[in-house]
Amino acid sequence: MSLANVLTIIGFFFWAIIFAILVIIGIYLYLIDRNQKQHPVLRNYPVIGRVRYLLETIGPELRQYFFNNDLEGKPISRNDYQHIVKKSKYKRDVIGYGSVKDFEEAGFYIRNSMFPKLAEELTMDRNELVTTNRYLLIKEPLFTQRKEKLEANKSVAYLLDDRDAIVIGKNTRNPFIVKGQIGMSAMSYGSLGERAITTLSKGLGMAKGTWMNTGEGGLSEYHLKGGVDIIMQIGPGLFGVRDYEGNFSWDALKEKSEIPQIKAFELKLAQGAKIRGGHIDAEKVTEEIAKIRMVEPFKSIDSPNRFREFQDFPSMFEFIEQIREHTGKPVGMKIVIGSSKEADDLAKHIKDSGKGPDFITLDGGEGGTGASYQELADSVGLPIKSALPLLDNALRKHGVRDQVKIIASGKLYSPDRIAIALSMGADLVNIARGFMITVGCIQALKCHSNGCPVGVATTDPDLQKALVIDEKKYRTANYVISMREGLYRIAAAAGLDSPAHFKAEHVVYKDEKGKVWSLEEIYQSIVSNG
């Protein structure tokens, strides 16, 4: 028998065996599907009905990459995502031909000046220089990987001039002086893995003049890796400043306050995406995280909806005073505003008591989270552009605006969004998801599952291998520097020598009919209807 015939016979039996296996598997699945009681589609359409569940599973990926256009994707569109990536990767973000924004829609616009400021007229700290690495795109072929090279890049840090520096807690023993208006919003170690936290710390430290918020999960060694200034958040669970019984520990607080990098403390009353205590699933609670938080490992953690240490403004302000006196450092609070009455009550109590926070972090309802419930994330708490005027107006009405700084957060991941927020009353802004994207986030929407495919929102050591700290830290630095540069660019266009000088007069609102309203008029309509 010839070799060809032997190979033909072997091939026939091979494919016959494969066919038989497939038939057996098909019959097995048919019997299972026909007799199961959970899925009616599979009872009526055994085997082929499984295609439906496959498409349902991969639906988010299909929409993200194929079916949603550049502006439709949520929570962050593909267009916005790419702008963040370009700033972090190339330290440059330019477009050609024209904007893709729909100018027929209603929206806020920054008023340009007939006589903008020249580059040499801008007031900034020109002595603070930063050297990072950025990619230079050489060629982008159709079928092969784009050709890029990594190069060192030196630039000014685009920090505020000393005269415009923002002082938080000016009457405390250790005021927090900030020269960059953009910082990292609260993201806990545990919600993010140690590589992500380390990368963000190093990148922000490299960029200078900024800060990172620890989130309510407590301070870890990874937050300290980059030497960046830190705002330590204290949530209702008291993680990092409690004992193992869950009681507040003044000794633990004092110990944290003696760390030079910690510049301020923040009491978390609420978060835009959850309006509830924080949550972390059991699989994320490693022994290290449990030790930091002083809880049991590998058990889900839910912190209370509010602090047990206080129940009204007088008791909360007294608690804030105690922390400020005990640490000598500024103390703030993170809140979500739901109406003008809440903002007015807060401002009135600050005025009447002569006490209160050194800063207020105002989170909009559009803010992100590692884990929350849909009904809370979608419908509880006002978005930032409605909430900011309410808080700013209330503080001004009661004459306490100068003693309280406002940090705004809620999808403020581009310079124009930040400029509008500053004009609405914010002194500083926090960003979370923008910084996550700089270290590799692809919006897989699996933050709550510990299955983040790029190693960002996970404590799984195998998945975290995807995140290369020494490459991504430069992207974080590039992003925040590019954002500050963009802020100065907008300020110059508005006729300002610094983004520290944005006011309500620099923004207008155009409705869907083309009518233009000043921000002062919008303020009044929001306040009167709040």
Side-chain angles (χ1 to χ4, degrees):
M1 184 179 296
S2 67
L3 179 60
N5 290 334
V6 171
L7 294 175
T8 300
I9 294 171
I10 291 174
F12 173 79
F13 278 108
F14 173 79
W15 288 110
I17 291 171
I18 294 297
F19 180 75
I21 291 173
L22 292 175
V23 169
I24 293 170
I25 292 174
I27 294 172
Y28 175 72
L29 293 176
Y30 179 91
L31 294 174
I32 288 178
D33 292 348
R34 181 66 86 178
N35 292 294
Q36 58 83 35
K37 300 177 181 179
Q38 185 178 2
H39 304 291
V41 170
L42 294 182
R43 281 178 69 85
N44 281 343
Y45 305 97
V47 186
I48 62 172
R50 290 175 177 265
V51 175
R52 176 187 184 277
Y53 297 103
L54 171 65
L55 294 175
E56 184 180 51
T57 300
I58 65 174
E61 286 79 8
L62 292 175
R63 287 188 292 274
Q64 182 178 5
Y65 293 107
F66 297 104
F67 302 130
N68 282 341
N69 68 35
D70 287 345
L71 302 177
E72 286 178 336
K74 301 293 182 182
I76 297 176
S77 71
R78 183 185 298 127
N79 190 58
D80 287 333
Y81 178 91
Q82 288 176 344
H83 283 304
I84 295 170
V85 171
K86 288 175 182 177
K87 286 181 177 68
S88 64
K89 189 174 181 181
Y90 303 110
K91 206 175 178 181
R92 186 171 183 263
D93 183 20
V94 295
I95 63 170
Y97 200 65
S99 173
V100 296
K101 179 178 179 177
D102 185 352
F103 289 93
E104 298 301 315
E105 291 185 352
F108 290 95
Y109 290 84
I110 297 158
R111 289 177 57 183
N112 61 293
S113 172
M114 296 289 282
F115 304 98
K117 293 292 183 182
L118 298 172
E120 59 267 24
E121 294 178 303
L122 297 176
T123 57
M124 69 174 76
D125 185 345
R126 299 181 185 274
N127 297 318
E128 198 69 71
L129 304 177
V130 179
T131 300
T132 67
N133 286 340
R134 69 174 181 181
Y135 284 93
L136 181 65
L137 182 61
I138 300 173
K139 188 176 182 182
E140 192 166 15
L142 183 60
F143 295 109
T144 59
Q145 190 174 10
R146 65 171 62 98
K147 294 182 179 179
E148 300 170 321
K149 76 172 183 178
L150 200 61
E151 64 173 12
N153 176 262
K154 190 174 185 178
S155 69
V156 295
Y158 292 97
L159 297 176
L160 299 176
D161 185 80
D162 288 342
R163 292 168 293 178
D164 295 322
I166 296 160
V167 182
I168 300 175
K170 60 183 178 181
N171 294 322
T172 61
R173 297 196 299 273
N174 300 284
F176 180 24
I177 300 173
V178 182
K179 294 180 65 176
Q181 292 169 287
I182 304 165
M184 192 192 93
S185 192
M187 291 191 285
S188 300
Y189 171 48
S191 178
L192 302 187
E194 62 265 24
R195 288 201 179 194
I197 295 292
T198 299
T199 304
L200 290 166
S201 176
K202 289 187 174 184
L204 291 167
M206 188 185 308
K208 304 177 183 178
T210 184
W211 68 92
M212 73 185 306
N213 190 307
T214 64
E216 65 176 301
L219 179 74
S220 72
E221 63 176 288
Y222 309 108
H223 290 101
L224 303 171
K225 291 279 189 180
V228 64
D229 290 340
I230 289 174
I231 297 176
M232 182 175 175
Q233 188 180 84
I234 302 172
L238 307 177
F239 305 125
V241 290
R242 59 179 256 170
D243 58 27
Y244 278 98
E245 284 69 47
N247 302 308
F248 189 84
S249 171
W250 291 99
D251 290 338
L253 176 68
K254 185 66 173 176
E255 180 184 334
K256 296 297 191 301
S257 71
E258 291 172 351
I259 298 173
Q261 281 179 244
I262 295 182
K263 302 298 184 181
F265 293 90
E266 177 184 87
L267 299 181
K268 176 188 172 183
L269 272 65
Q271 179 180 340
K274 44 180 116 179
I275 325 292
R276 59 185 285 270
H279 171 82
I280 180 170
D281 287 334
E283 56 266 29
K284 281 192 171 186
V285 187
T286 63
E287 291 184 357
E288 183 181 20
I289 290 168
K291 183 179 179 181
I292 291 170
R293 298 193 180 202
M294 294 185 176
V295 296
E296 291 187 55
F298 307 111
K299 286 190 176 182
S300 293
I301 305 172
D302 283 288
S303 53
N305 273 14
R306 69 168 178 82
F307 286 83
R308 294 187 174 91
E309 286 68 25
F310 50 82
Q311 65 284 336
D312 53 23
F313 285 118
S315 57
M316 179 175 69
F317 287 177
E318 187 58 39
F319 190 58
I320 287 174
E321 287 291 318
Q322 290 178 309
I323 294 176
R324 186 186 292 118
E325 179 59 32
H326 197 69
T327 64
K329 296 185 176 182
V331 182
M333 54 191 285
K334 183 174 184 177
I335 63 171
V336 176
I337 290 291
S339 71
S340 60
K341 184 181 185 306
E342 291 173 332
D344 195 73
D345 286 346
L346 172 59
K348 186 177 185 300
H349 278 87
I350 294 174
K351 173 66 174 178
D352 292 345
S353 67
K355 302 177 181 178
D358 297 298
F359 66 95
I360 297 174
T361 299
L362 180 63
D363 201 16
E366 64 271 64
T369 180
S372 185
Y373 297 102
Q374 173 270 324
E375 61 271 20
L376 293 178
D378 284 356
S379 301
V380 182
L382 290 173
I384 194 63
K385 288 177 183 175
S386 296
L388 251 178
L390 297 182
L391 179 60
D392 181 61
N393 181 76
L395 293 172
R396 293 184 187 280
K397 171 185 171 184
H398 291 281
V400 294
R401 180 63 181 87
D402 289 342
Q403 70 190 62
V404 182
K405 300 303 181 185
I406 298 177
I407 305 176
S409 59
K411 299 182 81 171
L412 303 175
Y413 42 72
S414 65
D416 54 322
R417 289 176 173 90
I418 294 173
I420 291 170
L422 296 176
S423 299
M424 285 183 159
D427 298 289
L428 306 163
V429 299
N430 273 341
I431 300 173
R433 284 169 291 188
F435 281 120
M436 288 178 67
I437 290 170
T438 70
V439 296
C441 170
I442 59 170
Q443 291 194 93
L445 308 183
K446 294 184 178 181
C447 305
H448 59 291
S449 69
N450 205 38
C452 174
V454 291
V456 177
T458 178
T459 57
D460 186 309
D462 290 327
L463 291 173
Q464 286 195 74
K465 291 177 182 177
L467 203 166
V468 180
I469 295 172
D470 287 335
E471 194 264 348
K472 293 295 190 290
K473 67 181 182 183
Y474 293 109
R475 299 199 187 195
T476 299
N478 290 340
Y479 176 62
V480 71
I481 294 169
S482 297
M483 292 282 280
R484 294 193 298 233
E485 181 183 9
L487 262 183
Y488 266 100
R489 191 180 295 123
I490 293 174
L496 302 173
D497 62 5
S498 170
H501 302 155
F502 276 113
K503 293 181 175 62
E505 64 193 63
H506 297 115
V507 170
V508 297
Y509 180 82
K510 182 198 74 70
D511 66 19
E512 62 278 356
K513 296 180 181 179
K515 184 175 180 179
V516 177
W517 306 77
S518 70
L519 194 55
E520 288 93 340
E521 292 173 304
I522 298 297
Y523 258 51
Q524 291 306 313
S525 66
I526 291 174
V527 170
S528 61
N529 295 321

